[in-house]
Amino acid sequence: MAGSVNKVILVGNLGRDPEVRRMNSGESVVNLNIATSESWRDKQSGERKEKTEWHRVVIFNENLAKIAEQYLKKGSKVYVEGQLQTRKWQDQTGAEKFTTEIVLQRFRGELTLLDGRAGGGEQSEYQGGGSDFGRSSPLEAPRGGGQARQPAATSSYAADLDDDIPF
Amino acid sequence: MAGSVNKVILVGNLGRDPEVRRMNSGESVVNLNIATSESWRDKQSGERKEKTEWHRVVIFNENLAKIAEQYLKKGSKVYVEGQLQTRKWQDQTGAEKFTTEIVLQRFRGELTLLDGRAGGGEQSEYQGGGSDFGRSSPLEAPRGGGQARQPAATSSYAADLDDDIPF
Amino acid sequence: MAGSVNKVILVGNLGRDPEVRRMNSGESVVNLNIATSESWRDKQSGERKEKTEWHRVVIFNENLAKIAEQYLKKGSKVYVEGQLQTRKWQDQTGAEKFTTEIVLQRFRGELTLLDGRAGGGEQSEYQGGGSDFGRSSPLEAPRGGGQARQPAATSSYAADLDDDIPF
Amino acid sequence: MAGSVNKVILVGNLGRDPEVRRMNSGESVVNLNIATSESWRDKQSGERKEKTEWHRVVIFNENLAKIAEQYLKKGSKVYVEGQLQTRKWQDQTGAEKFTTEIVLQRFRGELTLLDGRAGGGEQSEYQGGGSDFGRSSPLEAPRGGGQARQPAATSSYAADLDDDIPF
DNA sequence: TTTT
DNA sequence: TTTT
């Protein structure tokens, strides 16, 4: 269809560490579980309410997949831009299921770490568009040895994210 | 969570007329099925490819629901802004299902008709935000006339869902 | 700054034909003037009000520049996505001026024609991201013919700016 | 114009404390200076490059103005959503000037603090749309006494923002 | 200068 | 089920 737009913009926190799948082609595909939430005061009861929504993000964009793998961890706050895609699959009983995901296709989408201060001043923002754009040095000088990403500090917030993840 | 954003922006075409459900409160909730699609030339085969994605949009915003009911029809091109929401339900066999929708909550979201020329110069854009903003005259002088689209099946929401497809 | 986003999304109409500048490199840079407008009913007076905003868009993305040149004309409705950029310049009196533009950098941004029906079924949507994505056939089989829009003033950029208005 | 969209999305840091102007009506209008920046490696020289863009944000939305006043300070990272507006003015010599701003109109726009952890677990996100939505408790229990917002810690980053602000 |  |  000439003239369509399919765009999702999320700012939220990872409910768990990124899941990395290595493809036969050598490329990686990274899955993120991202929580967004809203809070408000109920007009009737006066109570504070909060509702968390969980989003499944799939990163095929190679540069962004690398960055996700290297810099994101449970609890990280990120800006993500991708497109909606619903795919059909069958569970073990053969029942038809649908899953809607936010997909960052090859060369497309955006991913920006919003709390990058932790971890030593490294940046990790990257725009999906161009091959000559975005941060290159993190890719050239990746996480290196064992001093790397600490195993997902069980900070209070990250802990909150632990339950109720539907996927 | 302090600091989260959950936003979907679509430009696409309605696959069928809006579905309007009248609530007991007197308010209407409108469902839209919107198609977005992408086309590209396959690098291997050189063939033209196209992929269409279908989106289920649910409008709780009263002003936008009115506009959708009055001005949108099968084939209309619209700009829609809402938020992602996944809800769990059970099909007739008791199997658990998830459906992800783009929701325009009360006072929130945006809806703009992009091919309003047809139909006699009527405008129908409206921003969800403010009570003193947006087009009011279409609401004051609705489509009227007998030629109009019939005022929407009062099917229950549950009834709409009792088949094995997501929408 | 790790973690920043600078994004503009416009849906509006071209106030005049695209302006194309041919660079020494052989690439083209295209400028668009896009109008967006809002209408509302004034609460005090009850009068209908309308306000139009004009936006200057600059397309460095080569693929999108080609599409703009070939398919857009005065009155076209487009979806544009780019980033804000303010540049300083001096008018003929030496006075300092600032102009803010929506810029589609190389490999970045999006441009989609929203009223492509006119012109014979040609599509012209294109996503800025990938080199293997988007419409290729319009590029392979461009508008041709002598009836075409003239290939754009080769005025220098400075020349365009030497009056006292921002664009 | 039926069918137009004028939207800006920024994630960036405040270059200085919010500027609050009290109107005769008793309402406040808040101005923010927000920096976004990009970094990349230059293909020719191999050098790291960085470019910062400054944005002037004007908040007429009362709820968001309150939140900006209470919770934002120099260096704060925010998500802002508003619309582009260019206004003409005259400098002291009578010369005509144009300034483009990101405006959050009454009942419109969004503002979300992205580094709210500092300051005692207070949230400050708020969606501009609805009167019954968004966080209310920060408004009911504002900054309170002297323990309040520390005077814009001259952290290294904030310090970097100090120079080169064009407005 | 567009569009409705 | 739309649109090109």
Side-chain angles (χ1 to χ4, degrees):
Chain A
M1 180 188 322
S4 73
V5 173
N6 173 358
K7 183 174 295 288
V8 180
I9 289 172
L10 300 177
V11 174
N13 296 272
L14 272 68
R16 47 178 190 252
D17 285 348
E19 297 155 21
V20 183
R21 289 176 288 139
R22 209 69 60 184
M23 300 290 103
N24 290 333
S25 65
E27 296 175 2
S28 296
V29 174
V30 176
N31 282 258
L32 307 178
N33 287 296
I34 295 183
T36 56
S37 103
E38 299 183 290
S39 62
W40 68 98
R41 184 169 296 278
D42 185 82
K43 269 188 159 171
Q44 314 304 107
S45 66
E47 291 171 61
R48 180 78 55 78
K49 305 272 194 169
E50 180 165 29
K51 185 162 181 293
T52 294
E53 193 68 36
W54 286 96
H55 309 273
R56 181 176 176 83
V57 173
V58 187
I59 307 176
F60 294 101
N61 178 311
E62 299 169 52
N63 288 314
L64 299 181
K66 277 182 200 149
I67 286 167
E69 187 177 358
Q70 289 174 18
Y71 297 102
L72 301 187
K73 58 176 191 292
K74 183 176 174 176
S76 295
K77 174 161 290 198
V78 288
Y79 172 95
V80 172
E81 192 176 318
Q83 57 186 308
L84 282 177
Q85 208 163 279
T86 298
R87 58 186 175 73
K88 197 196 306 195
W89 53 284
Q90 298 198 340
D91 69 9
Q92 62 283 18
T93 74
E96 200 168 61
K97 303 271 188 177
F98 291 87
T99 297
T100 299
E101 297 163 319
I102 293 96
V103 176
L104 283 68
Q105 297 288 14
R106 241 163 77 80
F107 303 117
R108 308 198 59 195
E110 295 186 30
L111 177 67
T112 303
L113 177 55
L114 295 178
D115 52 4
R117 266 81 63 176
E122 288 286 1
Q123 286 188 355
S124 35
E125 99 188 274
Y126 190 85
Q127 293 83 13
S131 54
D132 66 342
F133 218 114
R135 293 289 320 334
S136 47
S137 91
L139 305 180
E140 293 158 17
R143 285 203 298 137
Q147 91 298 354
R149 191 174 60 196
Q150 54 281 59
T154 32
S155 70
S156 64
Y157 183 72
D160 290 348
L161 295 176
D162 234 342
D163 25 44
D164 290 322
I165 305 185
F167 48 80
Chain B
M1 178 189 324
S4 71
V5 174
N6 173 1
K7 184 175 293 290
V8 180
I9 289 172
L10 300 177
V11 175
N13 295 273
L14 271 69
R16 49 177 188 254
D17 284 347
E19 297 156 21
V20 184
R21 291 175 288 133
R22 209 71 58 184
M23 300 289 102
N24 290 332
S25 65
E27 296 176 0
S28 296
V29 174
V30 176
N31 281 258
L32 307 178
N33 286 294
I34 295 183
T36 58
S37 104
E38 299 183 291
S39 63
W40 69 97
R41 184 169 296 280
D42 186 81
K43 268 188 158 171
Q44 314 304 107
S45 67
E47 291 170 62
R48 181 77 54 78
K49 304 272 196 172
E50 179 166 30
K51 186 163 180 294
T52 293
E53 193 69 36
W54 287 97
H55 309 272
R56 182 178 174 82
V57 173
V58 188
I59 307 176
F60 294 102
N61 178 312
E62 300 169 51
N63 288 313
L64 299 181
K66 277 181 202 152
I67 286 167
E69 187 178 358
Q70 290 175 16
Y71 297 102
L72 302 187
K73 58 176 191 295
K74 182 175 175 174
S76 296
K77 174 160 292 197
V78 288
Y79 173 96
V80 172
E81 193 177 320
Q83 57 185 308
L84 282 176
Q85 209 163 280
T86 298
R87 59 188 174 72
K88 197 195 305 195
W89 52 285
Q90 297 196 342
D91 70 8
Q92 63 282 21
T93 74
E96 197 168 65
K97 304 273 186 174
F98 291 88
T99 296
T100 300
E101 297 162 320
I102 294 95
V103 176
L104 283 68
Q105 297 287 15
R106 239 163 79 81
F107 304 115
R108 308 197 59 194
E110 295 187 30
L111 176 68
T112 304
L113 176 54
L114 296 178
D115 53 4
R117 265 85 60 176
E122 288 287 1
Q123 285 189 359
S124 37
E125 98 190 276
Y126 190 85
Q127 292 84 13
S131 54
D132 66 344
F133 220 113
R135 293 291 319 335
S136 47
S137 91
L139 304 180
E140 292 159 17
R143 283 206 305 142
Q147 89 299 357
R149 202 171 51 232
Q150 57 276 58
T154 31
S155 70
S156 84
Y157 198 36
D160 289 347
L161 296 172
D162 72 354
D163 34 30
D164 223 353
I165 55 168
F167 51 85
Chain C
M1 180 189 324
S4 72
V5 173
N6 174 359
K7 183 175 295 288
V8 180
I9 289 173
L10 300 178
V11 174
N13 296 272
L14 272 68
R16 48 178 190 252
D17 284 347
E19 298 155 20
V20 184
R21 291 175 287 133
R22 209 69 59 185
M23 301 288 102
N24 291 333
S25 65
E27 296 176 1
S28 296
V29 174
V30 176
N31 283 258
L32 307 178
N33 286 295
I34 295 183
T36 57
S37 101
E38 298 183 291
S39 63
W40 69 98
R41 185 169 293 280
D42 186 81
K43 268 187 161 172
Q44 315 304 107
S45 66
E47 292 171 59
R48 181 77 55 75
K49 305 272 196 171
E50 179 165 31
K51 185 163 181 294
T52 294
E53 193 69 36
W54 287 96
H55 310 273
R56 182 178 176 83
V57 173
V58 188
I59 308 176
F60 294 102
N61 178 311
E62 300 169 52
N63 288 314
L64 298 182
K66 276 181 201 151
I67 285 167
E69 186 178 357
Q70 291 174 18
Y71 297 101
L72 301 188
K73 59 176 191 296
K74 183 176 174 173
S76 295
K77 174 160 290 195
V78 288
Y79 172 96
V80 172
E81 193 176 320
Q83 57 186 307
L84 282 176
Q85 208 162 279
T86 298
R87 58 187 175 72
K88 198 197 305 196
W89 53 285
Q90 296 197 341
D91 70 9
Q92 64 281 23
T93 74
E96 199 168 64
K97 304 273 187 175
F98 291 87
T99 296
T100 299
E101 297 162 320
I102 294 96
V103 176
L104 283 67
Q105 297 287 15
R106 240 163 77 81
F107 303 116
R108 310 197 60 195
E110 295 187 30
L111 177 68
T112 303
L113 177 54
L114 296 179
D115 52 4
R117 266 81 65 176
E122 289 286 3
Q123 285 188 356
S124 36
E125 98 190 276
Y126 190 86
Q127 292 83 11
S131 54
D132 67 344
F133 218 112
R135 294 290 318 341
S136 46
S137 92
L139 305 180
E140 292 158 19
R143 283 205 304 142
Q147 89 299 355
R149 203 171 49 229
Q150 58 276 56
T154 32
S155 70
S156 81
Y157 199 38
D160 288 348
L161 296 172
D162 71 354
D163 34 30
D164 224 353
I165 56 168
F167 51 84
Chain D
M1 181 186 325
S4 73
V5 174
N6 173 0
K7 184 176 292 290
V8 179
I9 289 172
L10 301 177
V11 175
N13 296 273
L14 272 67
R16 47 177 189 253
D17 285 348
E19 298 154 20
V20 183
R21 289 176 287 139
R22 208 69 60 183
M23 300 289 103
N24 290 332
S25 65
E27 296 176 1
S28 296
V29 174
V30 176
N31 282 259
L32 307 178
N33 288 297
I34 295 183
T36 58
S37 103
E38 299 183 290
S39 63
W40 69 97
R41 184 167 295 278
D42 186 81
K43 269 187 157 172
Q44 314 303 107
S45 66
E47 292 171 61
R48 180 77 55 78
K49 304 273 195 169
E50 180 165 28
K51 184 162 182 295
T52 294
E53 192 70 35
W54 287 96
H55 309 273
R56 180 176 176 83
V57 174
V58 187
I59 308 176
F60 294 102
N61 178 312
E62 301 168 52
N63 288 314
L64 298 181
K66 277 182 201 149
I67 286 167
E69 186 177 358
Q70 290 173 16
Y71 297 102
L72 302 187
K73 58 176 191 291
K74 183 176 174 176
S76 295
K77 174 161 291 199
V78 287
Y79 173 95
V80 172
E81 193 177 320
Q83 56 185 308
L84 282 177
Q85 209 163 281
T86 299
R87 58 184 174 75
K88 198 197 304 195
W89 52 285
Q90 296 197 342
D91 69 8
Q92 61 284 19
T93 75
E96 201 167 59
K97 304 270 188 176
F98 291 87
T99 296
T100 299
E101 296 163 320
I102 294 95
V103 175
L104 283 68
Q105 297 287 15
R106 238 161 80 80
F107 303 117
R108 308 197 62 194
E110 294 186 30
L111 177 67
T112 303
L113 177 55
L114 296 178
D115 51 4
R117 264 83 64 178
E122 288 286 3
Q123 287 187 355
S124 36
E125 98 189 275
Y126 190 86
Q127 292 81 13
S131 53
D132 67 343
F133 219 113
R135 297 288 320 337
S136 46
S137 92
L139 304 181
E140 292 158 17
R143 286 204 299 139
Q147 91 297 355
R149 192 174 59 194
Q150 52 281 62
T154 31
S155 70
S156 62
Y157 183 71
D160 290 350
L161 295 176
D162 235 342
D163 25 45
D164 289 322
I165 306 184
F167 48 80

